[in-house]
Structures are given as structure tokens and as C-alpha cells.
Amino acid sequence: MMRKLTWDVTIAALVFWVLMALFRGGGLTPVAFENTFFQMLIFAMIYAAIRVALLVLRKGDGE
């Protein structure tokens, strides 16, 4: 379960990073990826926190 969650967050962060590099960085260049790196990290941390919270809340108090 956690392995799937890790892959989901990783893939979402990479897709977000590519899209941010395209739209804010002006293309798929190393400079664009470097400029959007911290935005991707913030997105990944927030997205992972939301996914973990949803996972914990769905399990409920019964376990």
C-alpha cells in the first residue's frame, strides 16, 4: 500500500515538474527544471501529506 502511494506521489510530482518547466520555464531545458525544482518539492510534500491523510482517514478507528 505504501509502495503504491510512493509511486503515485513520485509520478504526480514528475508530471507537475514537467508541466511547470514547460509553462513557467519556457521549455524543457536544464535551466527550466532548475528554476522549478523547489515548486515541485513543495507540490510533492503537500500532495503526499494529503494522500497520507486520506489513507489514514479511510482506515478509520476500527483498526
Side-chain angles (χ1 to χ4, degrees), residues 30-46:
V31 173
F33 284 113
E34 188 177 306
N35 290 338
T36 57
F37 178 73
F38 289 109
Q39 294 171 354
M40 182 273 302
L41 282 180
I42 292 169
F43 168 80
M45 288 187 286
I46 292 171

Side-chain angles (χ1 to χ4, degrees), residues 1-8 51 55-56 59 63:
M1 181 183 311
M2 292 306 285
R3 185 175 293 164
K4 182 184 180 310
L5 179 67
T6 302
W7 279 111
D8 288 347
R51 291 294 306 259
L55 185 70
V56 168
K59 278 190 174 184
E63 293 183 25

